Every structure is written in C-alpha cells, then in structure tokens.
Amino acid sequence: MRSRTPDRLCAEAVELARQAAAEAVGAEAVGAHLGAQADAERVVTHTFECLDAAYRGWHWAVTVARAPRAKNVTLDEVVLLPGDDAVLAPQWVPWSERLRPGDMGPGDLLPTDADDLRLEPGWTGEDEPAPNSIVALADADDLEITDPTIQPAPARARIGAIAEELGLGRPRVLSRLGLHLAADRWEQSHGPQTPMAQAAPASCNSCGFLIPIGGSLGQAFGVCGNEFGPADGQIVSFAYGCGGHSEAAVIPAPPAPSELILDELVIEPLQLHPDRSGGSVEPDAPAEELGHA
C-alpha cells in the first residue's frame, strides 16, 4: 500500500497555498494555516481558516501536487469546505414538496405530472353512435344507407356530445386517491375535531345554511352559505359546526304593537300668539277646555 504520509515538498508549500487562496478570495478572508492532509501520492490539501463572517466554521482547502521526480509544486484547486461547526443551508427540497396552499398568485402556472396519482383518465370513448343503432350497424358491415328515411344521428345524439354536457369530456378526473386526499384535507380544516366544531351547539347536517354538492363527496360534505359564519363559502363536513347554526339560537319574534287608540270625542284647542321672530308660540297658561262633543 502507498503511504498516506504527506509528500514533504507538497507539505512545505504552505505559502504557495496561502498565496493561491488570497488571489482567489482576497487576503482578508484567509486566516491561519490549520494543517495539511495527504489525498494521494504527491497530492496534499492545505486548509486555512475562513475569516468571512458569512461562513463561520468553514475553511479554505487548497490542493497542491507534484509530478514524479519533479521538485516544483503546482496548484490544483482552491475550494471552500464546511467544518464540523459550519453553518449549513437546509437540505434542498423540490418545489413540488415546498408548495403550500395559498402560494399561487395571479399569473402563476402549476404543472401537473402525467402520472399524478391524484388523477386518472376521464371518459376516453370516441364520438360514435350507440352500438345498437342502425348507423353503427351500417358502419360495422360497410353498408351504405339507401333508405331516405334513415338519416345519420345528429351531433346532439352522439355519445361525445352527451358526455360533454355531463362533464365527462375532461382528459383526466380525480382518482379515488385524489378524492380521499381532498376529503382528508377538508376534514382537518372544517371537520368534527376542530375547536369550532367541538364548541358548536349542533352539526352542519341539520343547518339550513348548508348547500349540498354533487358527486360521491356530497354524501359527507357541503358548502357553508352563512355569510357571518367562519366557513362561509368553504367545503365543510356534515359533522362540522359553529355558533352560526340556523337553529342554534332563533331570535324570538318581536311582540306585536298594541292597537292605536284615537280619542275623537275630546277637543283641546290651543290658542297661539306670535313671537318676536314672526312665528307663533304657545300661551303661558294651558288652553281652556271648552266642552265635549
């Protein structure tokens, strides 16, 4: 085995290594010599303290080498390497794993992988007439329709047109996994285990503000339509609840006002006299009651 003892000439080339580091990053960033380590035969790496405040615990590594039977030491590279106490950046995480709800803004595009497990192919049938129609039978037998009373199916009667009206013309739709993931998210944000639901007087399944939704998720979720509720416009679980339940605290109807009683039998005329401003004021003494009708 080759010796791992540093080559003498390469190990003594401290000033050469320091000068190379100073030329690369500036003399003010290169500190004391920390040591030398043999990387291979006649290949030695010198380390110097890094004085840059932004790289605490890092060190400059300058590698030098010497050719066989040569006395001249040459420079290989100058790099900055972290030490045991170095401040390192956090591990890089792909953008798809760093993305969080609410991160998208106007104009942003969010690509979806072709093999996204949350999606599955939608309706993939062709725009053909029904299999038992006369048009389909004629196409299958390569026959021409000579009967003038038989006309090709109009566009509205074709399968593709009907599927598009039913919302089946999308290339991909939510898979079963995608539905379960959506349900789990909605359960966490507006489900029975939230503090709001725990303190609610009743659940959403009996609330008049709950708006039903279609599909399989409509059996357990709906949309809150209470503008004063904490989940207005949000998908909520039937087991969710809040203090804005329609039947939680019904405001009692105000009492009916009493019937207006108008006394038409008493006449109390008031004598007025003009004041200094040109208007009229009431007399100091109350008007005399003249009589009854």
Side-chain angles (χ1 to χ4, degrees):
M1 295 181 60
R2 294 181 178 179
S3 173
R4 304 301 295 179
T5 302
D7 180 76
R8 182 180 62 83
L9 295 179
C10 292
E12 293 176 353
V14 177
E15 293 303 322
L16 173 65
R18 178 184 294 277
Q19 182 179 0
E23 292 178 357
V25 300
E28 66 279 359
V30 182
H33 183 255
L34 302 178
Q37 179 181 357
D39 297 332
E41 188 176 2
R42 295 182 297 279
V43 179
V44 175
T45 297
H46 294 270
T47 57
F48 298 89
E49 181 183 3
C50 177
L51 301 181
D52 193 331
Y55 292 91
R56 291 177 300 151
W58 292 62
H59 60 265
W60 300 107
V62 183
T63 302
V64 295
R66 181 175 65 87
R69 293 185 297 276
K71 296 183 179 181
N72 295 330
V73 178
T74 59
L75 175 68
D76 280 0
E77 63 178 356
V78 178
V79 296
L80 180 63
L81 297 178
D84 296 336
D85 300 330
V87 179
L88 301 177
Q91 185 178 5
W92 182 81
V93 179
W95 68 267
S96 57
E97 300 179 14
R98 288 185 279 114
L99 189 65
R100 293 294 179 266
D103 288 349
M104 289 188 61
D108 294 341
L109 298 179
L110 178 61
T112 304
D113 294 337
D115 56 351
D116 195 323
L117 297 179
R118 299 172 301 172
L119 300 172
E120 62 184 12
W123 181 79
T124 58
E126 298 179 355
D127 191 5
E128 298 178 352
N132 57 348
S133 65
I134 186 65
V135 178
L137 295 177
D139 293 342
D141 298 336
D142 295 332
L143 300 177
E144 295 184 0
I145 301 177
T146 58
D147 190 346
T149 60
I150 301 177
Q151 300 294 331
R156 181 169 176 78
R158 296 183 181 273
I159 296 177
I162 299 176
E164 185 174 353
E165 292 185 7
L166 297 178
L168 302 178
R170 296 174 292 171
R172 291 190 291 177
V173 296
L174 274 177
S175 62
R176 190 173 184 85
L177 174 62
L179 292 174
H180 287 174
L181 292 176
D184 291 341
R185 292 194 307 271
W186 299 342
E187 282 280 353
Q188 292 178 4
S189 59
H190 296 96
Q193 302 302 324
T194 58
M196 182 65 70
Q198 294 291 326
S203 57
C204 291
N205 59 350
S206 60
C207 181
F209 294 110
L210 182 71
I211 302 174
I213 61 175
S216 59
L217 292 180
Q219 302 175 11
F221 296 93
V223 179
C224 177
N226 187 350
E227 62 177 322
F228 301 110
D232 180 38
Q234 303 293 325
I235 296 291
V236 296
S237 169
F238 285 173
Y240 182 70
C242 69
H245 193 282
S246 61
E247 312 305 323
V250 180
I251 300 177
S258 59
E259 183 180 358
L260 179 62
I261 300 177
L262 180 62
D263 188 358
E264 299 179 349
L265 301 179
V266 178
I267 301 177
E268 297 181 353
L270 299 177
Q271 183 178 358
L272 305 177
H273 62 84
D275 58 1
R276 297 179 181 179
S277 61
S280 56
V281 297
E282 297 182 4
D284 297 338
E288 180 182 357
E289 183 178 340
L290 297 179
H292 299 277

